[in-house]
Amino acid sequence: YNGNKPWIKPDVLELNNYFEVGERYRDYYTARSLRGLSQLDVFSSIKPIFKEVDSQDLNHYLIDVHYICTPSKKQSLAFDTRFTTTSGLMGVNGSINYVNKNIFRGAEKLTVSIGGGFETQTLVFNDNDENTSFPFNTLEFGPNVQLEILGLTPFPPAALSKRHRARTVISVGYNYETRSIFERQVFQLNYLWKFFVNKTQIFQLGLPGVSVIKLVNIKKN
């Protein structure tokens, strides 16, 4: 707890706890709960502790489960650089990435990236046939913002079973590219639902007309 508000909303923890009051203990519920809490990506360590509770019924044993969770670092800032080559054509690009893994205290993950780079592209029109070396003639840059939310927004997080681990991914991006023969601007908005069908399959759904909105503007010279 931090002051009067929990560091993370209790409802989020409940969505990833498989031990329910009054139900029988099952050993695999421990693995499910630990996996769900770990996938929130907001804890550096998670330790379950089981305590036996005194009961008058000698035929049944009662236990309480406690989770000792250590919060991980909430925010991070990283710089990424890459060198690329395609069919012998070279390129270099980089990006600055900011991540907040619990921005609204509900394990929402906000990622803000600003990237750009230079690339070598084959010249479509080249009056000098002797020029076989191609400089960095392409410039590309743009920001991207992505927010990952628990549940299928706008429905409540408990709309699906806990085992589905549903998430909503919303992203907005802009990209500007200029070459020797054109300039291009792209604005893109994505809205995506995804959830686990079973241990090995993830189902993704984009709402028709909303899942991808892309505006492209090309300026010829």
Side-chain angles (χ1 to χ4, degrees), residues 139-197:
L139 169 64
E140 184 176 6
F141 69 89
N144 185 79
V145 180
Q146 177 176 293
L147 180 63
E148 193 167 334
I149 308 171
L150 291 182
L152 305 181
T153 306
F155 301 102
L160 289 182
S161 169
K162 294 180 179 181
R163 297 183 61 182
H164 291 304
R165 288 170 279 165
R167 286 185 174 266
T168 301
V169 181
I170 305 171
S171 63
V172 179
Y174 170 80
N175 179 269
Y176 172 81
E177 180 181 1
T178 177
R179 298 187 185 181
S180 59
I181 57 174
F182 70 87
E183 293 181 9
R184 184 195 66 177
Q185 300 180 69
V186 178
F187 173 81
Q188 184 164 326
L189 172 66
N190 297 304
Y191 189 100
L192 183 70
W193 287 346
K194 66 178 183 178
F195 52 87
F196 285 80
V197 179

Side-chain angles (χ1 to χ4, degrees), residues 51-69:
K51 294 184 178 181
E52 187 175 344
V53 180
D54 293 335
S55 173
Q56 302 297 325
D57 189 350
L58 299 180
N59 297 320
H60 296 85
Y61 294 94
L62 300 180
I63 59 173
D64 282 344
V65 57
H66 301 260
Y67 296 100
I68 308 301
C69 302

